[in-house]
Amino acid sequence: MYSSQYPQPQQPYSYPQEPPKKKTNWWLMGCLGCGGLLILVIGIIVVVAVVLNSGDDSADSPPSVDIPSAGSEPPADGSSAPPAEGGDGEVTIVAETAEYTPGVLSEGGDYVAVNVTVTNNGSDPLAVNPLYFSIEDENGQTVEADLMESVGQDEPFDAMDLATGESESGVVVFPTASAPTTLIMEDVLGMTSYEAPVN
């Protein structure tokens, strides 16, 4: 009777146990980080290798080209522009002064235009681009090509890859008032250059 008159004490409420925390696997995170870094380094190496191999591998140093002096005689076959060959005849460049036509976006100023023909005689493709050209003017100054003015010409020199035996001709414009004497073409990395007199 005694036990039925008084309620039994309730069990105290207990909080559910938290599941054990997972330990951070630093070894796995380190491996993933190193793997990502390795992939990044390999990607950079591949990009550098592609850029370096896109040039002409056969020329370790810039080829030397003989440029006729001002008093030299014209060629016997009657051609007006003697070609300048560089890299053992891998590239032939002919450069002649051309008429400059101000383009739609022209802002005025002094410019000279050169009609350039480049022929790839090598066994590898040759990348050409109006931005690869510069001239040496009659004052001995080197002047880089102006892309906007070059593109505005009636027959601009286009950027492309020339296969063996292919040629590209077009007008390249330079911001100077002085007459050009020598045309210089360099590859994208500036490691190989070719020169031709401007007639």
Side-chain angles (χ1 to χ4, degrees):
M1 245 175 115
Y2 176 81
S3 61
S4 63
Q5 291 178 349
Y6 297 102
Q8 293 290 328
Q10 295 181 353
Q11 294 290 332
Y13 178 77
S14 63
Y15 294 102
Q17 289 185 344
E18 293 182 16
K21 292 183 179 180
K22 292 184 179 180
K23 292 183 179 179
T24 304
N25 192 341
W26 294 108
W27 181 84
L28 179 61
M29 291 180 67
C31 287
L32 290 176
C34 289
L37 183 61
L38 182 63
I39 290 172
L40 178 65
V41 168
I42 290 173
I44 291 171
I45 291 171
V46 168
V47 168
V48 169
V50 167
V51 169
L52 290 177
N53 286 332
S54 67
D56 184 8
D57 295 335
S58 63
D60 293 332
S61 61
S64 60
V65 178
D66 293 332
I67 299 175
S69 61
S72 62
E73 295 182 11
D77 62 0
S79 63
S80 61
E85 294 185 355
D88 297 326
E90 293 175 356
V91 175
T92 302
I93 301 174
V94 177
E96 299 175 308
T97 55
E99 183 178 346
Y100 165 68
T101 305
V104 176
L105 300 176
S106 178
E107 297 179 358
D110 295 321
Y111 294 95
V112 296
V114 178
N115 189 13
V116 181
T117 301
V118 178
T119 304
N120 180 13
N121 301 320
S123 58
D124 296 325
L126 175 69
V128 294
N129 188 312
L131 291 177
Y132 296 173
F133 294 107
S134 59
I135 58 167
E136 186 174 302
D137 65 19
E138 59 189 354
N139 299 322
Q141 299 293 319
T142 301
V143 181
E144 303 290 327
D146 185 314
L147 181 61
M148 293 304 294
E149 290 294 333
S150 297
V151 170
Q153 299 306 296
D154 292 335
E155 296 178 6
F157 191 97
D158 293 326
M160 63 177 57
D161 287 334
L162 298 178
T164 301
E166 285 187 335
S167 296
E168 168 62 7
S169 294
V171 176
V172 182
V173 177
F174 303 89
T176 182
S178 301
T181 58
T182 305
L183 177 85
I184 303 158
M185 184 182 88
E186 295 184 342
D187 64 9
V188 66
L189 298 176
M191 297 175 65
T192 305
S193 65
Y194 306 97
E195 295 183 0
V198 180
N199 294 312

mmCIF file of all heavy atoms in Angstrom, residues 55-56 59-63 87 90 185-194:
data_model
loop_
_atom_site.group_PDB
_atom_site.id
_atom_site.type_symbol
_atom_site.label_atom_id
_atom_site.label_comp_id
_atom_site.label_asym_id
_atom_site.label_seq_id
_atom_site.Cartn_x
_atom_site.Cartn_y
_atom_site.Cartn_z
ATOM 1 N N GLY A 55 57.775 27.683 -82.774
ATOM 2 C CA GLY A 55 58.765 28.418 -83.560
ATOM 3 C C GLY A 55 59.559 27.467 -84.432
ATOM 4 O O GLY A 55 59.242 26.295 -84.593
ATOM 5 N N ASP A 56 60.615 27.965 -85.007
ATOM 6 C CA ASP A 56 61.479 27.176 -85.875
ATOM 7 C C ASP A 56 62.567 26.546 -85.023
ATOM 8 O O ASP A 56 63.449 27.222 -84.533
ATOM 9 C CB ASP A 56 62.091 28.088 -86.955
ATOM 10 C CG ASP A 56 62.916 27.305 -87.952
ATOM 11 O OD1 ASP A 56 62.886 26.061 -87.883
ATOM 12 O OD2 ASP A 56 63.579 27.943 -88.788
ATOM 13 N N ALA A 59 66.717 26.509 -85.957
ATOM 14 C CA ALA A 59 67.628 27.649 -85.842
ATOM 15 C C ALA A 59 67.898 27.919 -84.376
ATOM 16 O O ALA A 59 67.031 28.353 -83.653
ATOM 17 C CB ALA A 59 67.025 28.878 -86.504
ATOM 18 N N ASP A 60 69.134 27.643 -83.938
ATOM 19 C CA ASP A 60 69.492 27.895 -82.554
ATOM 20 C C ASP A 60 69.820 29.349 -82.321
ATOM 21 O O ASP A 60 69.730 29.856 -81.226
ATOM 22 C CB ASP A 60 70.694 27.029 -82.156
ATOM 23 C CG ASP A 60 70.332 25.550 -82.144
ATOM 24 O OD1 ASP A 60 69.157 25.225 -81.919
ATOM 25 O OD2 ASP A 60 71.233 24.746 -82.354
ATOM 26 N N SER A 61 70.274 30.034 -83.344
ATOM 27 C CA SER A 61 70.589 31.447 -83.231
ATOM 28 C C SER A 61 70.031 32.151 -84.450
ATOM 29 O O SER A 61 69.802 31.529 -85.472
ATOM 30 C CB SER A 61 72.104 31.640 -83.138
ATOM 31 O OG SER A 61 72.717 31.142 -84.309
ATOM 32 N N PRO A 62 69.798 33.464 -84.336
ATOM 33 C CA PRO A 62 69.254 34.176 -85.483
ATOM 34 C C PRO A 62 70.171 34.041 -86.692
ATOM 35 O O PRO A 62 71.380 34.204 -86.587
ATOM 36 C CB PRO A 62 69.193 35.637 -85.005
ATOM 37 C CG PRO A 62 69.181 35.548 -83.519
ATOM 38 C CD PRO A 62 69.954 34.320 -83.174
ATOM 39 N N PRO A 63 69.588 33.686 -87.839
ATOM 40 C CA PRO A 63 70.408 33.527 -89.026
ATOM 41 C C PRO A 63 70.920 34.872 -89.521
ATOM 42 O O PRO A 63 70.275 35.887 -89.362
ATOM 43 C CB PRO A 63 69.452 32.906 -90.048
ATOM 44 C CG PRO A 63 68.099 33.287 -89.574
ATOM 45 C CD PRO A 63 68.186 33.401 -88.078
ATOM 46 N N GLY A 87 68.042 31.683 -92.507
ATOM 47 C CA GLY A 87 67.874 30.315 -92.024
ATOM 48 C C GLY A 87 68.078 29.286 -93.106
ATOM 49 O O GLY A 87 67.279 28.380 -93.250
ATOM 50 N N GLU A 90 65.124 28.952 -95.570
ATOM 51 C CA GLU A 90 63.840 28.481 -95.075
ATOM 52 C C GLU A 90 62.736 29.503 -95.281
ATOM 53 O O GLU A 90 61.571 29.144 -95.387
ATOM 54 C CB GLU A 90 63.947 28.131 -93.592
ATOM 55 C CG GLU A 90 64.838 26.937 -93.341
ATOM 56 C CD GLU A 90 65.032 26.665 -91.872
ATOM 57 O OE1 GLU A 90 64.527 27.456 -91.050
ATOM 58 O OE2 GLU A 90 65.682 25.669 -91.548
ATOM 59 N N MET A 185 61.580 40.632 -89.854
ATOM 60 C CA MET A 185 60.506 39.768 -89.372
ATOM 61 C C MET A 185 61.079 38.868 -88.288
ATOM 62 O O MET A 185 62.079 38.190 -88.499
ATOM 63 C CB MET A 185 59.922 38.908 -90.484
ATOM 64 C CG MET A 185 58.734 38.063 -90.029
ATOM 65 S SD MET A 185 58.047 36.986 -91.310
ATOM 66 C CE MET A 185 59.067 35.536 -91.095
ATOM 67 N N GLU A 186 60.433 38.856 -87.112
ATOM 68 C CA GLU A 186 60.844 37.991 -86.012
ATOM 69 C C GLU A 186 59.726 37.033 -85.690
ATOM 70 O O GLU A 186 58.555 37.317 -85.946
ATOM 71 C CB GLU A 186 61.185 38.819 -84.770
ATOM 72 C CG GLU A 186 62.391 39.715 -84.938
ATOM 73 C CD GLU A 186 62.756 40.437 -83.655
ATOM 74 O OE1 GLU A 186 61.902 40.512 -82.744
ATOM 75 O OE2 GLU A 186 63.895 40.908 -83.558
ATOM 76 N N ASP A 187 60.086 35.868 -85.103
ATOM 77 C CA ASP A 187 59.040 34.951 -84.667
ATOM 78 C C ASP A 187 58.422 35.485 -83.377
ATOM 79 O O ASP A 187 58.845 36.504 -82.847
ATOM 80 C CB ASP A 187 59.579 33.524 -84.510
ATOM 81 C CG ASP A 187 60.637 33.401 -83.415
ATOM 82 O OD1 ASP A 187 60.836 34.373 -82.670
ATOM 83 O OD2 ASP A 187 61.258 32.337 -83.329
ATOM 84 N N VAL A 188 57.408 34.775 -82.886
ATOM 85 C CA VAL A 188 56.628 35.278 -81.752
ATOM 86 C C VAL A 188 57.489 35.464 -80.499
ATOM 87 O O VAL A 188 57.224 36.341 -79.682
ATOM 88 C CB VAL A 188 55.431 34.334 -81.468
ATOM 89 C CG1 VAL A 188 55.902 32.973 -80.998
ATOM 90 C CG2 VAL A 188 54.471 34.955 -80.472
ATOM 91 N N LEU A 189 58.538 34.674 -80.335
ATOM 92 C CA LEU A 189 59.393 34.809 -79.156
ATOM 93 C C LEU A 189 60.603 35.689 -79.413
ATOM 94 O O LEU A 189 61.411 35.923 -78.518
ATOM 95 C CB LEU A 189 59.862 33.424 -78.696
ATOM 96 C CG LEU A 189 58.757 32.469 -78.257
ATOM 97 C CD1 LEU A 189 59.335 31.106 -77.911
ATOM 98 C CD2 LEU A 189 57.981 33.033 -77.084
ATOM 99 N N GLY A 190 60.769 36.166 -80.637
ATOM 100 C CA GLY A 190 61.899 37.008 -80.977
ATOM 101 C C GLY A 190 63.223 36.269 -81.035
ATOM 102 O O GLY A 190 64.277 36.858 -80.969
ATOM 103 N N MET A 191 63.166 34.928 -81.164
ATOM 104 C CA MET A 191 64.383 34.134 -81.172
ATOM 105 C C MET A 191 64.988 34.000 -82.570
ATOM 106 O O MET A 191 66.176 33.782 -82.727
ATOM 107 C CB MET A 191 64.110 32.754 -80.586
ATOM 108 C CG MET A 191 63.685 32.777 -79.136
ATOM 109 S SD MET A 191 63.241 31.165 -78.485
ATOM 110 C CE MET A 191 64.809 30.317 -78.583
ATOM 111 N N THR A 192 64.157 34.090 -83.609
ATOM 112 C CA THR A 192 64.621 33.969 -84.977
ATOM 113 C C THR A 192 64.170 35.198 -85.743
ATOM 114 O O THR A 192 63.023 35.612 -85.640
ATOM 115 C CB THR A 192 64.037 32.706 -85.648
ATOM 116 O OG1 THR A 192 64.349 31.569 -84.844
ATOM 117 C CG2 THR A 192 64.612 32.511 -87.039
ATOM 118 N N SER A 193 65.063 35.800 -86.507
ATOM 119 C CA SER A 193 64.690 36.968 -87.287
ATOM 120 C C SER A 193 65.219 36.852 -88.702
ATOM 121 O O SER A 193 66.216 36.178 -88.951
ATOM 122 C CB SER A 193 65.193 38.257 -86.628
ATOM 123 O OG SER A 193 66.610 38.273 -86.628
ATOM 124 N N TYR A 194 64.502 37.474 -89.614
ATOM 125 C CA TYR A 194 64.870 37.510 -91.024
ATOM 126 C C TYR A 194 64.824 38.965 -91.481
ATOM 127 O O TYR A 194 63.982 39.725 -90.994
ATOM 128 C CB TYR A 194 63.896 36.663 -91.874
ATOM 129 C CG TYR A 194 63.769 35.243 -91.380
ATOM 130 C CD1 TYR A 194 62.736 34.858 -90.546
ATOM 131 C CD2 TYR A 194 64.707 34.280 -91.749
ATOM 132 C CE1 TYR A 194 62.610 33.558 -90.096
ATOM 133 C CE2 TYR A 194 64.599 32.970 -91.310
ATOM 134 C CZ TYR A 194 63.554 32.616 -90.477
ATOM 135 O OH TYR A 194 63.450 31.327 -90.026
#
